[in-house]
Amino acid sequence: MVVLIPAYEPDTRLLTLVADLRTAGHDVLVVDDGSGPDHAPLFAAATRLGAHVLTHPRNRGKGQALRTGLAHLAATRPGQDVVCADCDGQHTPTDIDAVAARLAAVPDDTLVLGTRRFTGDVPTRSRVGNTVTRLLFRAVTGTAVHDTQTGLRGYPAAMIPWLLGVRGDRFEYELEILLRATTSGRRIVEHDIATVYLHANASSHFRPVADSLRVYLPLLAFAASSLTAFVLDTVLLLALHATTGNLLLSVIGARAVSCAVNFHLNRRLVFGRTTRAAGHTPRRGAAARYAALALTLLTANYLLLTALTTLGVPLLTAKVLTEATLFATSFEVQRRFVFTTGTLPTMSPARTTPRGKAPQCPSTPPARPTRPQQPSPAPPQPSSPTSDATSHASCSATSPASPRS
């Protein structure tokens, strides 16, 4: 198991975490997400403590930093599980160990979340933000996750290729993973961890407006697609009914057009991000399943409309009530059966060592690290032979062999 830590302009809490993890025997990979020269001495100190450091020349976002680290591990440490942790002191070594232990006990189709219960002194922004996201996530996916914004997560090695295909460059990447997991047959388990906020979370780089929009946008994609189809369907229904006076023909004609639009939007923009990442769902198969769903919903739609209008409910009101009733059913069926691949990718080569056991590198283990001191401002030595963050470092580079001369 490797601990992956994305870091942007960190402080000495990163060094404390690296030292504790190395003391516990964990391999540590840190991705410097373009923190700049002012923070170079700190990352050099992390290297001296035994971490391997990759560097983005400029800030590219937490999501891209995580993908850079995952791609590096897939290339240099195949078969190794990964636990991702934040660099700001929110995740303790004890909790990281606990998530790693839980990860070792679950199947390859399961990711583990280190879940905070938000007890004690929690910043209002964090408490409200997580509550809103949790409620939206459950409303859209039907899956209850208590802490959707946690950065402490465990991923099996077999899941890394799929993770590399998930979209999102910044904070939305982690929520996107959860959304795509619910549509691709993967399981999410939660393990309780401590709720730690230091200095009211002042070190967080989360931008309340811009990053909130990025986080919530995926949650609203399906609702927007359905709303578009609903408006089109309603307008066509009213127009056809006014022209023909035949409710059945009007329902069929309006639904045929709106379903074609809805299928295209959902396949390309909503559920398609998963199918492209986890193995493309054939258009013909998805279309056949969608047609079966559409026919079922069409029948239910007509029966409900007939019942409501017979009771004297105006057609427009009856249409709104009918669509609201069928919305949740439509989403759940599309999520679980229409646009899912039904298969999981496997990693090649397969895991060759037990979970939690790293392959042995042909090098001398590093000396036991000591607790970090404030890094010297002297110019750092490079942490890798190249500035390319996605370069394929050797096994000995991932686990440093001996103190620098």
Side-chain angles (χ1 to χ4, degrees), residues 31-69:
V31 179
D32 169 13
D33 187 27
S35 300
D38 289 345
H39 291 79
L42 190 142
F43 288 105
T47 301
R48 290 193 293 271
L49 287 170
H52 184 68
V53 178
L54 302 176
T55 301
H56 285 167
R58 59 179 177 82
N59 178 251
R60 300 177 63 186
K62 184 179 183 181
Q64 184 56 56
L66 288 169
R67 277 198 299 269
T68 292

Side-chain angles (χ1 to χ4, degrees), residues 129-173:
N130 188 76
T131 299
V132 171
T133 308
R134 181 176 73 247
L135 294 175
L136 282 173
F137 185 86
R138 182 164 188 173
V140 171
T141 67
T143 301
V145 174
H146 189 79
D147 187 1
T148 60
Q149 298 179 340
T150 180
L152 180 54
R153 304 177 176 212
Y155 301 114
M159 197 176 286
I160 290 179
W162 175 79
L163 291 168
L164 293 174
V166 176
R167 292 182 177 182
D169 289 339
R170 298 191 179 275
F171 289 99
E172 77 276 11
Y173 175 71

